[in-house]
Amino acid sequence: QEGPLGRKHDVEGSGKKSSNRSWNNLYCVLKPGQLSAYKDAKSFGHGATYHGEEPLALAGAHWEVLTNYKKKKHVFKLRLGDGSEYLFQCKDEEELQRWSQAMHTA
Ligand code: I3P
């Protein structure tokens, strides 16, 4: 599964609020056990991740759809094994379903 998603880094691994809290539109690519982010599909083609960041390791990660999140729609939260948390926004319900299913099996 791959495609554009909004992403916000909400909580650092240390448990404190992340300092850069803005939403970024990123091209996200899910492979078994890892979620990588690229600036766009072209960067993905070149294998250059967003800001050179490492893929997020999904071992021990927990994922949930934020049905009560008021600020934005179609948002899911990913909490990694190290305690850091990211919010992801899909463009519509169909995309949310698609990502949900993919995250479930990743
Ligand atoms: C953040 C940006 C985010 C917002 C976040 C702000 O400011 O406006 O959209 O999250 O609020 O800190 P900046 O772009 O200057 O980093 P929401 O869209 O979820 O409100 P927060 O700090 O309350 O998470």
Side-chain angles (χ1 to χ4, degrees):
Q1 168 74 11
E2 61 184 72
L5 287 176
R7 189 188 75 177
K8 171 182 165 176
H9 192 181
D10 198 18
V11 180
E12 308 266 4
S14 57
K16 60 173 196 191
K17 274 186 157 193
S18 128
S19 46
N20 181 0
R21 316 190 46 74
S22 19
W23 287 88
N24 299 115
N25 287 312
L26 300 174
Y27 193 81
C28 296
V29 178
L30 184 63
K31 300 246 171 79
Q34 62 176 54
L35 180 62
S36 307
Y38 302 85
K39 183 169 170 286
D40 48 29
K42 196 174 153 201
S43 303
F44 172 46
H46 294 148
T49 61
Y50 181 66
H51 289 174
E53 63 182 47
E54 294 295 319
L56 302 180
L58 298 178
H62 176 85
W63 162 92
E64 68 179 294
V65 176
L66 296 186
T67 45
N68 292 323
Y69 195 67
K70 296 287 189 301
K71 293 175 179 177
K72 290 182 188 291
K73 284 184 167 169
H74 321 304
V75 172
F76 65 86
K77 176 167 89 176
L78 181 65
R79 187 174 65 243
L80 301 182
D82 70 357
S84 59
E85 294 182 3
Y86 292 83
L87 303 186
F88 291 90
Q89 184 182 31
C90 305
K91 80 167 170 18
D92 56 26
E93 202 54 34
E94 196 184 325
E95 279 295 293
L96 181 64
Q97 290 306 322
R98 227 194 290 279
W99 279 100
S100 299
Q101 214 151 60
M103 292 300 292
H104 193 67
T105 51

